[in-house]
Amino acid sequence: MNARTEQVDDIRLVALPTAVNVADMFVRFSLGEWRLRSMQDEASQTARRLVAAAVDVADPRVPGFLLVRLRLSGSSLVVEVEGNRVALPPELAGARAGLVDLTAGGRLAWCELTLPSGMNASSVPLPRREPRRSPAAEALGDEPEVDPEVIQRILYGLGGAMDRHQD
């Protein structure tokens, strides 16, 4: 078995109740990008539980940050929540889950979910996005023509030109 992390995605959230729904959306989006839609419900529920447990033990006056991370490793999807105050929810007690004290401070709560049968982390395709222009650029119309001489003068003015010769 290859336990090397093949793909990872994360998001940083404030440890407030709204983080639970944001973590849910993050997991659903990431798994959609990784073409693991069949795992969206289970992974989303796991992330919601981990984030809710962290929010429950956070100080509401100074909530701190949470890092929600998804890792594809070997034959598993690992859902992690890292922060200064993190707890493992009782609902995950029987699962492949744990709580780790980090050497730099803080804690990491994690839960490992098995990928669909016959699949491993290295077989999950990387997300592919089509190149496209922003709506503002689209409103401007065609690509502007760029004069290489003007760009060279700008680079020279910024001190970034490697070749500063005058013709």
Side-chain angles (χ1 to χ4, degrees):
M1 178 176 110
N2 177 9
R4 183 180 80 162
T5 296
E6 297 288 338
Q7 292 191 50
V8 66
D9 202 358
D10 60 34
I11 187 169
R12 189 173 173 110
L13 305 171
V14 177
L16 292 172
T18 54
V20 176
N21 289 334
V22 175
D24 178 82
M25 289 186 291
F26 164 71
V27 169
R28 290 180 182 282
F29 175 80
S30 295
L31 293 184
E33 289 286 296
W34 291 346
R35 295 181 185 92
L36 289 172
R37 286 183 179 82
S38 64
M39 295 188 72
Q40 282 179 328
D41 291 339
E42 180 184 17
S44 175
Q45 188 64 25
T46 301
R48 290 179 69 86
R49 288 178 175 154
L50 289 169
V51 170
V55 169
D56 286 346
V57 297
D59 181 351
R61 292 169 291 151
V62 186
F65 289 102
L66 298 174
L67 183 66
V68 179
R69 182 181 306 117
L70 299 175
R71 284 190 309 109
L72 286 171
S73 181
S75 61
S76 302
L77 168 69
V78 183
V79 181
E80 301 174 342
V81 175
E82 182 180 326
N84 288 334
R85 300 183 75 180
V86 176
L88 191 62
E91 308 91 72
L92 297 178
R96 293 189 315 204
L99 188 61
V100 178
D101 290 321
L102 302 174
T103 56
R107 301 176 100 184
L108 174 74
W110 59 274
C111 185
E112 193 173 289
L113 307 173
T114 304
L115 290 172
S117 64
M119 183 176 272
N120 62 39
S122 60
S123 67
V124 175
L126 289 171
R128 296 199 184 272
R129 294 193 176 109
E130 296 296 321
R132 64 175 201 223
R133 298 174 63 201
S134 71
E138 288 293 330
L140 293 175
D142 291 337
E143 291 284 326
E145 295 210 16
V146 179
D147 184 352
E149 199 172 300
V150 171
I151 297 299
Q152 190 64 33
R153 288 176 36 205
I154 291 171
L155 285 174
Y156 178 78
L158 293 173
M162 297 303 254
D163 183 52
R164 295 183 176 191
H165 67 285
Q166 296 285 338
D167 290 332

